[in-house]
Amino acid sequence: MKKLGLVGLVGLFLSCGQTAHETKVEEAPEESRFVKEVFATNLYEPTEIVVLPKDRILFTQRRGAIKQYDLRTNELSDYDSIPVYHEKEDGLMGIALDPEFEQNDWVYVYYSPVGDEPVQHLSRFSYTAKGLINEVVMLKVPVQREECCHTGGSIQFGSDGLLYLSTGDNTNPFASKGFSPSDERPGRSAWDAQKSSANTNDLRGKILRIKPEPDGTYSIPEGNLFVDEDPLTKPEIYVMGCRNPYRISVDPKRGWLFWGDVGPDAGEDAEGRGPRGHDEFNVARAPGFFGWPLFVGNNYAYNEYDFETGISRDMYDPASPVNNSPNNTGLQNLPPAQPAKIYYPYARTDIFPQLKNGGRNAMAGPVYYSEMYEGRSKFPAYLDGRVIYYDWMRGFIYFLELDEKGNPTDWYPFMPNTEFNNAMDMEFGPDGNLYMIEYGTGWFTRNENAKLSRIRYIEGNRPPVLNASASRYSGSAPLKVIFDASESKDYDGDKLKYQWEIENETFNDSSFTYVFEKEGVYYPKLTLSDGKGDYRTQQFTIEVGNEPPVVDIVIAGNNTFFWEGRNIAYEVQISDLEDEKGVGIASDQIRFDINHYQSTDMAEALGHQVPVSNGLTLIEALDCKGCHKVNEKSIGPSYTAVADRYKTDRNAVNYLSRKIISGGGGVWGEQAMSAHPDLTTEDAASIVEYILSLANQASYPLAGTFTTTEPEGRYLFTAAYKDRGKAPLRPIESTRNIWLRPSRMAADLFDDSKDIQARGGDIRSIYHGSWVSFKNIDLTGIASVSFLVANREKGGHVSIRTGAPDGEEIGSREIYPDPAAGPATSFQIEINDVKGFQNVYFVFTNEGEENKLLYIRNIEFNPKP
């Protein structure tokens, strides 16, 4: 069993000197009284967490691993793994403990089994010290695997012992331009969510509610959405009309069901299609239909749309919705649609201004009641009855107070100054502490900032807040590093003591400079104490002797925008101090690619970070290089040959992973492959995925011209180079990403503003003295800026400035709309010849005018001819 000691984690925080939870707190607690302790990092797509009795934690990872953390020994172990199909978004999605777990040891898991049958399993297992045993498949959810997306997969129990399971709509959204995916053409059911979410006879796009029975079967409780035995309905359905209810919770007292629903992508409303995309936070006090794919948000209705002819019909009626899709196998007349309690688009919204703007991934967390816990550091009574609502992308967490109808009446921002790297799931443990897993910033990969942590509430003396950094973590010798903990603080005003340990030396300053003269790996450690028994420690890893490579992509002309038909001259430039002194740059370690992301949320969700292959790192650390090469046959086949053979095999990852672990031969000749029994299944899968990726690599030269063909979405130029390393120093990979976005954008995609109101892609309310700004815009080669203005307001003066609202003016114009000219007019403002990245401000004035000045639909940066 592979274990990871707590002390060995880089950047791990520890504390001691616990203080008992003595009194109820009836005022809003200070953020400083919540302390986040990180137990583990570098997780691999964690999905759902449960806290066991006796100080143990289990959490699942999408590719099949189940991890266990022991709070007594501070060890993270590979508890078990389940073979899963994990293409697209499928895999091991959810886990829950039976309400009588202490008596029966039952654990419930929702996952995608390997094999040719496209299905999801809800299974019950028995928990043992050595792993899960005695699987009983309780429920099967048929799905389609050929076209993504949306799995749901969260499992929760109510206090009445009923099991709730969320399922996604299992529908490809990428051919619907961000609107309702309701493609009724023959052979297009994978693009029609009416076949799932709005289908009363299908288990997808739902939240199911069942009563598990002791023999591994289940019964249907009273109060589900469909109570009769109509063959056109599924009695397991409690809630229908969901898109991707990824994480759910159940109020242990009120019995209410909560979920976040990840919404579609359209950035603007469109006549004939329907509303822009919204994420939702939903509350079900009773069973019902919650709209998708006919409605979104506050019952905003889509048009019925013919994908064959492009003709739009009437909008759906939320009071009497009808599903007449040929892919529907259930009732045509659906229950009335229920609106979401919280709903928000990519842009800012006046309805919920606290949500700001950006990418969206709504989630629901648990409801807290202090009387249910006895821990010394349990959360305060102020949070009683509040449900956790959080957003995976935007990083906020709120404890919501709700009225008797489930509407939010108070939003308590939870640790708003603490960074959460895509919080995936959270659960209160028996001690009243909040346990959390964070997915990390890169999609479909292992992330260093993917974490397992615990958040405690400290009512008495608070431990110091450690904020320490190193200016360099790697480089050639001699390496000068500035260690700085001067931003550390103590909320109780205690005098802080610093103790840095580097090799055999000790330093007591808050910051200092140290020069590492010799090559090697060093582990500097800081202990920060407050003199009252509380302390924090942080350990760094400094590798001396290998300078990180420098990777750049030089793009001629503008580095912010693209337009259809733009010819982009580019060159990838790589330099590495050690490699250039030795045998030269390793050309097979250069990765370069150009990708287009049509979907807005796909580009947002990547978080401007390109996944780096962990499989290649593992290969280089093993004995693989002795038998295999990338493009040439050695004792064993080349990696590209393996990729070509298995690239269409849906079970290739599982089959080849087992082969790597167990060894064997006979497929490629007489030479047998060595076994690697110490590899985990997830690490073996990483190796296989890297090899299989070699079959799909686009071949772009490192210098050339690329022509854009799309008017929308985003283009990503990415280059990476991994140097050769130098034992015991690891190879270092550096990456350079350049995102290009359309030169025409919705007006409300600004970064900052004053005295404006924006909605639906538009800036709808602009007054004298209002401004909007866009950060880091490359104005190289930009000749003018155009505004599409609705002909309905007074008009005024527009000044384009750089740096600040009163910065250098680079262009201006009077803009006065003419209602007689039609619904909208485009106005163009020529700008000075400005090069490089600027913060661009649009300042609007009309002295003496108190009414609205302008209504802007979009803004376009026009290139020079």
Side-chain angles (χ1 to χ4, degrees), residues 466-741:
L466 190 155
N467 186 348
S469 64
S471 60
R472 299 285 303 274
Y473 292 92
S474 61
S476 58
L479 180 65
K480 183 169 72 173
V481 179
I482 301 172
F483 293 96
D484 188 355
S486 59
E487 295 299 317
S488 300
K489 55 189 173 183
D490 188 278
Y491 286 107
D492 301 310
D494 300 329
K495 184 177 180 180
L496 296 177
K497 297 179 180 179
Y498 302 84
Q499 182 175 312
W500 300 83
E501 299 173 46
I502 304 179
E503 297 187 270
N504 297 317
E505 297 184 71
T506 300
F507 304 87
N508 299 114
D509 295 326
S510 62
S511 62
F512 65 100
T513 299
Y514 188 87
V515 178
F516 296 88
E517 300 287 352
K518 297 180 181 180
E519 295 185 356
V521 182
Y522 299 85
Y523 300 96
K525 180 182 177 181
L526 167 64
T527 300
L528 178 71
S529 58
D530 64 359
K532 293 183 177 178
D534 274 318
Y535 65 89
R536 284 281 193 263
T537 68
Q538 183 171 353
Q539 181 174 284
F540 300 85
T541 300
I542 308 295
E543 299 192 1
V544 182
N546 185 21
E547 190 74 17
V550 177
V551 178
D552 196 13
I553 305 172
V554 178
I555 288 181
N558 194 277
N559 277 239
T560 295
F561 299 114
F562 74 89
W563 43 89
E564 190 172 4
R566 178 187 173 187
N567 295 315
I568 302 173
Y570 67 87
E571 181 182 4
V572 178
Q573 297 179 350
I574 309 288
S575 63
D576 183 87
L577 179 64
E578 289 78 20
D579 288 4
E580 290 175 341
K581 288 181 179 179
V583 297
I585 298 295
S587 59
D588 62 342
Q589 297 299 301
I590 301 175
R591 295 189 296 113
F592 174 65
D593 206 356
I594 304 172
N595 287 292
H596 177 260
Y597 297 96
Q598 181 64 45
S599 165
T600 303
D601 72 338
M602 185 181 292
E604 290 281 359
L606 282 169
H608 294 194
Q609 179 174 346
V610 178
V612 175
S613 172
N614 183 54
L616 180 57
T617 303
L618 290 164
I619 285 174
E620 292 174 342
L622 297 172
D623 58 1
C624 308
K625 292 183 289 186
C627 299
H628 303 278
K629 295 182 178 180
V630 174
N631 295 307
E632 302 175 32
K633 187 179 185 304
S634 182
I635 298 174
S638 69
Y639 292 138
T640 53
V642 174
D644 289 338
R645 171 173 287 191
Y646 291 100
K647 62 184 178 182
T648 61
D649 187 342
R650 292 166 55 185
N651 194 40
V653 173
N654 291 288
Y655 167 73
L656 293 175
S657 297
R658 292 194 298 270
K659 197 82 170 177
I660 291 172
I661 293 172
S662 61
V667 178
W668 296 91
E670 297 181 0
Q671 183 68 38
M673 181 171 64
S674 302
H676 301 85
D678 292 333
L679 273 182
T680 64
T681 54
E682 60 189 19
D683 283 347
S686 294
I687 292 173
V688 175
E689 284 159 359
Y690 164 72
I691 293 171
L692 294 179
S693 73
L694 299 175
N696 300 310
Q697 289 185 341
S699 59
Y700 291 101
L702 299 182
T705 300
F706 177 83
T707 302
T708 60
T709 58
E710 302 291 338
E712 299 176 347
R714 290 191 180 190
Y715 280 96
L716 171 62
F717 289 66
T718 181
Y721 176 70
K722 178 175 288 187
D723 67 19
R724 300 176 186 272
K726 183 167 56 175
L729 306 177
R730 298 173 301 172
I732 300 174
E733 182 170 64
S734 297
T735 302
R736 175 77 166 106
N737 299 321
I738 296 180
W739 287 88
L740 298 182
R741 58 182 176 175

Side-chain angles (χ1 to χ4, degrees), residues 133-281:
I133 62 172
N134 302 329
E135 179 180 9
V136 178
V137 179
M138 295 182 60
L139 173 67
K140 293 184 178 183
V141 179
V143 296
Q144 58 87 17
R145 289 178 171 175
E146 297 305 319
E147 299 294 339
C148 67
C149 297
H150 309 151
T151 60
S154 184
I155 311 171
Q156 294 290 323
F157 274 92
S159 58
D160 53 7
L162 301 183
L163 182 153
Y164 294 77
L165 169 67
S166 70
T167 63
D169 70 1
N170 194 214
T171 300
N172 188 310
F174 299 123
S176 304
K177 296 185 178 180
F179 298 101
S180 173
S182 301
D183 192 340
E184 299 177 359
R185 290 175 292 179
R188 300 284 293 179
S189 66
W191 288 263
D192 182 8
Q194 296 172 106
K195 58 99 171 38
S196 55
S197 298
N199 186 348
T200 64
N201 196 30
D202 194 285
L203 297 178
R204 294 169 293 178
K206 311 292 194 298
I207 300 179
L208 312 178
R209 188 176 73 159
I210 60 176
K211 180 181 179 182
E213 300 292 348
D215 62 357
T217 62
Y218 66 87
S219 58
I220 303 299
E222 294 184 2
N224 278 3
L225 187 56
F226 304 110
V227 298
D228 56 24
E229 296 182 357
D230 189 334
L232 297 181
T233 65
K234 295 289 187 186
E236 295 90 349
I237 298 172
Y238 183 71
V239 161
M240 64 181 293
C242 302
R243 185 175 185 264
N244 195 11
Y246 204 71
R247 289 296 166 256
I248 69 175
S249 70
V250 182
D251 191 318
K253 288 194 173 184
R254 291 173 289 198
W256 296 356
L257 171 68
F258 305 97
W259 71 99
D261 211 349
V262 183
D265 306 333
E268 301 182 49
D269 301 339
E271 186 175 352
R273 294 301 302 272
R276 58 182 170 168
H278 290 72
D279 268 34
E280 302 178 351
F281 179 80

Side-chain angles (χ1 to χ4, degrees), residues 364-398:
V367 182
Y368 181 73
Y369 292 100
S370 59
E371 66 187 49
M372 297 174 60
Y373 307 102
E374 298 295 332
R376 295 184 302 167
S377 56
K378 68 179 183 179
F379 280 26
Y382 175 86
L383 301 175
D384 280 356
R386 292 178 182 250
V387 61
I388 295 178
Y389 154 57
Y390 59 108
D391 190 288
W392 189 90
M393 281 296 299
R394 298 189 184 183
F396 62 69
I397 302 175
Y398 286 103

Side-chain angles (χ1 to χ4, degrees), residues 48-50 58-60 66 92-97 107-110 132 153-156 425 427:
E48 198 156 57
I49 185 174
V50 291
L58 287 182
F59 63 91
T60 52
I66 303 175
L92 177 52
M93 309 310 301
I95 187 170
L97 303 182
V107 176
Y108 299 83
V109 173
Y110 188 68
L132 300 180
S154 184
I155 311 171
Q156 294 290 323
D425 191 36
E427 179 173 305

